[in-house]
Amino acid sequence: MEMPPDARLGLDIKRAEQALMTAKSSAVRAADLTVAQYAALLALAQHPGISAAALARACLVTPQAMTAVLKTLQARGLVERSAHPWHRKVLETRLTEAGHRALTAADTEAVRIERRLADEFTAEEQDTLRALLARCVQAIQQDH
């Protein structure tokens, strides 16, 4: 074995990501949302009218996965989609009032998790962690 398992960082990164996703899943479940649905609502609140493709990129999922998320959110009345005024083939997506309410309920709980995480680090440590994680992404993507 070229690298012993305890020297590998991937498992530590995965463990942290899994803990975050488990906590967020539990937090947004109270608003009857999945983490993917919550992420889409949060991105839509920040970028009203965004296309599904751009929303997928913002949420770090495939366009196919975002299509399924949007279909569910639209069926529940949390988002509405309409043709772009100039580009009729592009659908704009916006939160409905019910979508805003669901996002507010979910975000209240999700922010508690984010605050607990942030409170573990000083502002400088947070910047360092972000930089280190960015380097992880860059190192992983070098092979692709």
Side-chain angles (χ1 to χ4, degrees):
M1 195 177 302
E2 288 186 39
M3 182 180 224
D6 60 349
R8 300 176 188 196
L9 296 173
L11 185 58
D12 296 305
I13 293 168
K14 180 63 177 175
R15 189 176 293 117
E17 189 258 348
Q18 189 66 40
L20 177 61
M21 290 301 103
T22 298
K24 284 221 176 153
S25 180
S26 178
V28 302
R29 191 175 305 122
D32 197 25
L33 295 172
T34 65
V35 173
Q37 291 166 348
Y38 164 71
L41 294 178
L42 187 61
L44 284 168
Q46 295 171 336
H47 307 285
I50 193 171
S51 70
L55 187 58
R57 287 188 296 275
C59 294
L60 306 175
V61 298
T62 65
Q64 294 83 357
M66 185 51 65
T67 297
V69 167
L70 287 174
K71 184 176 181 179
T72 300
L73 292 174
Q74 188 172 17
R76 291 184 52 201
L78 301 179
V79 301
E80 56 190 11
R81 304 184 76 197
S82 58
H84 187 280
W86 305 307
H87 307 288
R88 292 285 175 198
K89 291 184 180 182
V90 174
L91 290 178
E92 295 183 322
T93 307
R94 297 182 190 285
L95 294 179
T96 62
E97 284 303 315
H100 281 285
R101 286 192 302 274
L103 174 59
T104 298
D107 200 45
T108 298
E109 297 303 315
V111 165
R112 287 185 186 149
I113 295 161
E114 292 289 348
R115 286 193 199 284
R116 278 199 324 257
L117 182 57
D119 288 349
E120 286 296 313
F121 303 96
T122 65
E124 183 178 308
E125 287 172 329
Q126 290 177 36
D127 290 343
T128 299
L129 180 57
R130 283 185 180 99
L132 291 170
L133 290 170
R135 281 175 49 197
C136 288
V137 170
Q138 185 179 21
I140 291 165
Q141 291 177 342
Q142 279 181 349
D143 291 341
H144 291 86

